[in-house]
Amino acid sequence: MNAPIASLYFVSAGMLLMGSFHAALMARSSDHVKAAWLFSAICLAFSLFQISNAAQYTAGDLPAAVDAHKWVNLFLLLIVALIWYLVAAFDDAWYAPVMSHGIAVLIGVVIACNFAAPFGFRFSSVHPDIAVVLPWGERIAVLSGEPSAASRVVRAVSLALMVYALLFSVRVHRLGARFASALIWGSVGLMFLTTGVASLSDAGTLKVPYLGGFGFLFLAASFSIMVRTNFSNRKLEQVRISSALVQEVERHEIAKQRFQHALNNDPLTGLPNRSGALDRLRILVDLNGLNRTVLAVFLLDVDRLGIINGTRGHQVGDQVLVEVSERLRLNVTDSDLVARLNNGGFLVAAGNLVSEGGVAVLYDRLAAALEAPFLVAGSELRITASAGVAVFPDDGGAAEDVLAAAELALHDAKRSGPGSLGVYRPSLKGNIQERIDFENALKEALIKRQFFLCYQPQVRASDGRTVCMEALIRWEHPTHGLVLPDRFIQLAESMGLIAAIGSWVIESACEQLARWHAMGYDGLRVAVNLSAQQLLVSNLEETVAQAIRRFDLAAADVELEITESVLMQDPESSIARLGALKSLGVRLSIDDFGTGYSSLSYLKVLPVHAFKLDRSFVRDIGKGGKDLEICATAIGLARNLGLDIVAEGVESEAQARQLRALGCHLLQGYFFARPLAVAAANEFLGGPFKSLETGAIPLEFVG
């Protein structure tokens, strides 16, 4: 609830309830038992008064505000009657209880009128405009209008109460009853102030909420202090002190236990953290050492958790982690260990395995547990987890050694892509060091201008003319030589470098396209591949828009290719991001179509212009069979949806002719050209092209 004033009323109501409870507890040992109980009742009435006020101020319309206002009136009337009784509790005069009972009867009549009247006892009519905007912008519902006769009577009673209380306070002060005098003076001052402000608010002169309950908080605290000073029973005081000491010891012990639990356990999942896991793992190592059995230690890391956090929010990411922890726990025994070591990293240690064959069985069980979709925030998410495994005693004789071996295996698994399993072997230590050197070189590659782009043409099947050049990044490593994207793109994602590299690719491709346009190839466009993090996390729209403006290109000159598997990781977020990109005017296409899952169910709602038929279907198309049927179905689907289709991996004239006969729009592959450096791409564009009907003829570039 975004209502600060209502929240303050609820907080004050809670404090008044505590004051009521406190006064009731102290009534037994106070010199003024009756007064203490009455004060407890007043605190309770004020608490309910505050809650009713909050209900009125947050009302959405006049009827709801009036209904809540009647309850405000009820508790206000009860407060007036209780304060009469409180003053009378200190007065020994015979008329004091008579007046209190008479006032109580009168209040009872007004209460009945309050619920019978259309607007409560305080108004004969109300202003229809109840909305009041407070200085900080909050809107509340405040009633004002014409005071009723009952309202005037209650105000007269309140004034009489103030006069009676003042006279009595002067009298008891002369007798030395400072406690009663101070309490009454405080009550009178509070009533005077709140009655005046409430009257102005009811008349509409002031547009403010009723604040009497907040002022009474001071009086409630003062009463508690004064009653406490009147404790006369030393034995009860000693019992209280003794009880407090016992409670303090108990609280200290509980705090100690909580500290130990927080020190060794993850607050989100309740699983042991790294510290707690090491303690448990040492015990498991010792037990399996005594039993001469195998202990398997798995480290699992949820792939692309950062993308989930970035697109769905950390709350959804936390729900995924909680669900992962539950699934892991359900697939191990009570004697096994499940722990959360870091953000998306989990440890599973299972002992008493007779052979390493049981390790494979356990991994299959864990992988199957994470394979089912995760229903989070009303939508399905599919995740994978990379895993590394080491076993005791073969891979280490101590808990720390086995854990370190599993970490090396996990590090190696991530090189093979999401969902991979790495098994520890001694040679990994050298391999990991080599990879660390590779990572360090990748960090400097962009700065040292070691990246460059190659371009592979996409030609029209109808006449063989080039309409698009796909930009493909390459890395000239200082020691490893030419490095293809499949070796470093995933690594760049895990290192957080992909946004910067992707921006460079878009900028460089647009710059080269502007040069080609200047050379006369006006209808040519450029295609750029996007990674998962670029699509779902980075500020991609701004990067593309800036590049288009900088090189004076049309938005349709740029095509962005998104791998189908990336789209299917989080279809809803992907559709939203693609919609934002499409609004820029750029072309969008799905790469490697047919290799993912749920393709057809999302294809009709994806805001794309084309999709690329994966090379795995094109490879054997000339042999007929299922691949030919798949290609024909995909091409027909694209044409029915009004989409272009690009066939990848065309390596022979027979494949090209077959795809053209099926109605494929664009072709790409080694039959036309391998990925070309800029100079070779210029030569290709300016040279002859392959026609599927008449062979090689001079190129007249047509967009």
Side-chain angles (χ1 to χ4, degrees):
M1 176 176 65
N2 187 17
I5 191 69
S7 300
L8 288 175
Y9 274 85
F10 282 119
V11 170
S12 65
M15 296 174 65
L16 287 165
L17 281 174
M18 292 178 61
S20 174
F21 181 71
H22 193 199
L25 285 178
M26 292 189 293
R28 296 182 180 181
S29 54
S30 173
D31 293 336
H32 306 278
V33 176
K34 186 176 180 181
W37 281 112
L38 284 169
F39 198 83
S40 175
I42 293 173
C43 287
L44 178 60
F46 259 113
S47 176
L48 298 173
F49 174 77
Q50 294 291 82
I51 294 174
S52 302
N53 272 313
Q56 176 187 322
Y57 298 147
T58 55
D61 52 23
L62 180 60
V66 170
D67 290 341
H69 183 73
K70 291 182 178 181
W71 288 98
V72 172
N73 292 341
L74 169 65
F75 298 118
L76 179 62
L77 292 169
L78 291 176
I79 289 169
V80 173
L82 288 169
I83 292 179
W84 268 99
Y85 277 108
L86 177 63
V87 177
F90 295 101
D91 195 351
D92 296 328
W94 64 270
Y95 54 82
V98 175
M99 285 194 304
S100 300
H101 296 329
I103 294 298
V105 172
L106 176 62
I107 293 297
V109 173
V110 177
I111 289 174
C113 294
N114 174 65
F115 285 98
F119 304 108
F121 85 90
R122 289 162 72 177
F123 300 111
S124 58
S125 64
V126 296
H127 298 146
D129 184 12
I130 64 173
V132 172
V133 180
L134 298 178
W136 54 87
E138 182 181 0
R139 185 180 296 272
I140 63 173
V142 176
L143 296 179
S144 60
E146 183 66 25
S148 65
S151 176
R152 295 185 176 92
V153 170
V154 172
R155 289 179 185 172
V157 170
S158 300
L159 181 61
L161 172 60
M162 284 186 268
V163 173
Y164 167 56
L166 285 172
L167 294 174
F168 176 75
S169 178
V170 171
R171 179 158 51 91
V172 298
H173 186 75
R174 291 174 180 173
L175 298 176
R178 295 182 178 179
F179 167 77
S181 178
L183 188 60
I184 293 172
W185 274 99
S187 300
V188 170
L190 176 65
M191 289 182 62
F192 179 82
L193 178 62
T194 56
T195 301
V197 174
S199 299
L200 293 174
S201 178
D202 289 347
T205 305
L206 290 178
K207 293 290 187 177
V208 295
Y210 303 136
L211 303 174
F214 295 102
F216 190 77
L217 285 174
F218 172 78
L219 191 60
S222 301
F223 177 83
S224 299
I225 294 173
M226 288 185 289
V227 172
R228 185 180 294 275
T229 60
N230 282 272
F231 281 178
S232 59
N233 193 325
R234 187 177 300 274
K235 184 176 181 180
L236 289 177
E237 182 69 12
Q238 292 174 346
V239 170
R240 188 192 66 81
I241 293 174
S242 177
S243 176
L245 289 174
V246 172
Q247 292 177 2
E248 184 64 26
V249 172
E250 291 176 350
R251 282 196 296 268
H252 179 75
E253 185 62 28
I254 292 173
K256 181 180 178 181
Q257 293 174 0
R258 288 177 177 173
F259 176 77
Q260 290 294 332
H261 185 271
L263 192 64
N264 294 304
N265 290 271
D266 171 48
L268 177 64
T269 62
L271 298 175
N273 57 18
R274 177 174 286 272
S275 176
L278 270 174
D279 291 340
R280 291 278 307 277
L281 192 58
R282 292 186 187 103
I283 296 173
L284 289 176
V285 165
D286 292 341
L287 287 175
N288 284 271
L290 291 173
N291 297 333
R292 298 182 180 276
T293 51
V294 173
L295 172 68
V297 177
F298 285 92
L299 288 183
L300 299 100
D301 191 70
V302 178
D303 297 317
R304 299 190 175 103
L305 180 62
I307 294 177
I308 296 176
N309 290 333
T311 57
R312 296 299 186 91
H314 284 270
Q315 185 176 2
V316 171
D318 288 345
Q319 292 177 5
V320 170
L321 293 175
V322 171
E323 178 66 19
V324 168
S325 68
E326 289 298 321
R327 294 190 186 186
L328 294 178
R329 275 192 285 208
L330 291 174
N331 284 275
V332 297
T333 65
D334 293 339
S335 61
D336 296 332
L337 168 64
V338 179
R340 183 186 177 206
L341 302 188
N342 49 44
N343 187 29
F346 293 85
L347 178 147
V348 177
N352 298 320
L353 301 176
V354 178
S355 66
E356 294 188 6
V359 178
V361 172
L362 176 59
Y363 173 73
D364 291 341
R365 191 163 68 242
L366 297 176
L370 301 181
E371 186 176 351
F374 286 70
L375 183 60
V376 181
S379 62
E380 286 189 357
L381 289 178
R382 292 182 179 271
I383 70 165
T384 58
S386 300
V389 61
V391 297
F392 167 85
D394 294 348
D395 300 329
E400 292 82 355
D401 297 336
V402 181
L403 183 58
E407 288 176 339
L408 289 176
L410 174 61
H411 202 66
D412 183 62
K414 291 184 176 181
R415 299 179 61 183
S416 302
S420 299
L421 171 66
V423 180
Y424 174 77
R425 56 187 185 277
S427 60
L428 281 181
K429 291 184 178 180
N431 295 343
I432 295 300
Q433 183 58 52
E434 181 181 340
R435 187 182 182 191
I436 291 174
D437 295 339
F438 194 77
E439 290 175 352
N440 292 332
L442 182 58
K443 292 178 183 178
E444 300 177 353
L446 194 58
I447 300 173
K448 294 182 177 181
R449 301 177 179 270
Q450 295 172 353
F451 291 121
F452 65 94
L453 294 182
C454 289
Y455 297 89
Q456 188 172 31
Q458 295 177 5
V459 303
R460 263 199 318 241
S462 59
D463 56 15
R465 292 187 169 121
T466 303
V467 296
C468 181
M469 299 292 278
E470 181 179 358
L472 302 168
I473 189 172
R474 299 292 186 263
W475 177 18
E476 189 64 40
H477 192 281
T479 57
H480 295 281
L482 184 64
V483 183
L484 298 180
D486 57 357
R487 286 194 59 194
F488 66 85
I489 290 297
Q490 184 182 342
L491 181 60
E493 286 185 331
S494 65
M495 295 172 64
L497 302 175
I498 195 63
I501 295 175
S503 297
W504 176 86
V505 171
I506 293 171
E507 187 88 2
S508 300
C510 288
E511 182 180 10
Q512 181 58 49
L513 182 62
R515 292 196 185 100
W516 281 328
H517 284 182
M519 295 167 61
Y521 307 120
D522 296 330
L524 186 66
R525 63 177 181 268
V526 69
V528 176
N529 292 281
L530 298 180
S531 73
Q533 286 189 13
Q534 278 181 282
L535 176 65
L536 299 178
V537 178
S538 67
N539 54 342
L540 181 61
E541 298 95 319
E542 182 180 352
T543 300
V544 174
Q546 287 180 351
I548 291 172
R549 288 195 301 267
R550 179 177 178 183
F551 298 107
D552 195 24
L553 299 174
D557 292 336
V558 178
E559 182 171 324
L560 302 177
E561 297 184 1
I562 305 96
T563 303
E564 182 188 11
S565 58
V566 171
L567 295 176
M568 293 304 106
Q569 289 175 24
D570 192 347
E572 294 180 7
S573 297
S574 298
I575 291 170
R577 291 304 301 272
L578 290 178
L581 290 169
K582 188 176 182 180
S583 65
L584 296 177
V586 300
R587 285 176 56 87
L588 301 170
S589 66
I590 303 175
D591 197 9
D592 298 336
F593 179 77
T595 60
Y597 48 82
S598 303
S599 307
L600 298 181
S601 62
Y602 284 102
L603 185 60
K604 60 183 179 182
V605 294
L606 287 170
V608 297
H609 302 85
F611 61 79
K612 301 182 73 174
L613 191 60
D614 186 66
R615 68 184 67 248
S616 62
F617 301 120
V618 175
R619 183 188 307 119
D620 297 325
I621 189 174
K623 302 176 183 179
K626 294 183 178 179
D627 288 322
L628 178 61
E629 294 177 5
I630 292 174
C631 290
T633 301
I635 293 170
L637 177 64
R639 298 180 72 90
N640 290 336
L641 294 176
L643 302 177
D644 290 338
I645 184 165
V646 184
E648 295 183 296
V650 180
E651 298 184 358
S652 68
E653 184 175 358
Q655 292 173 341
R657 290 184 182 278
Q658 183 74 66
L659 289 165
R660 179 186 176 186
L662 292 174
C664 185
H665 303 102
L666 301 174
L667 307 175
Q668 179 180 358
Y670 290 176
F671 175 66
F672 302 98
R674 292 176 177 270
L676 305 170
V678 173
N682 291 338
E683 184 178 347
F684 176 86
L685 290 173
F689 64 93
K690 293 183 178 180
S691 170
L692 301 182
E693 292 185 353
T694 61
I697 61 175
L699 172 67
E700 295 178 4
F701 183 85
V702 178

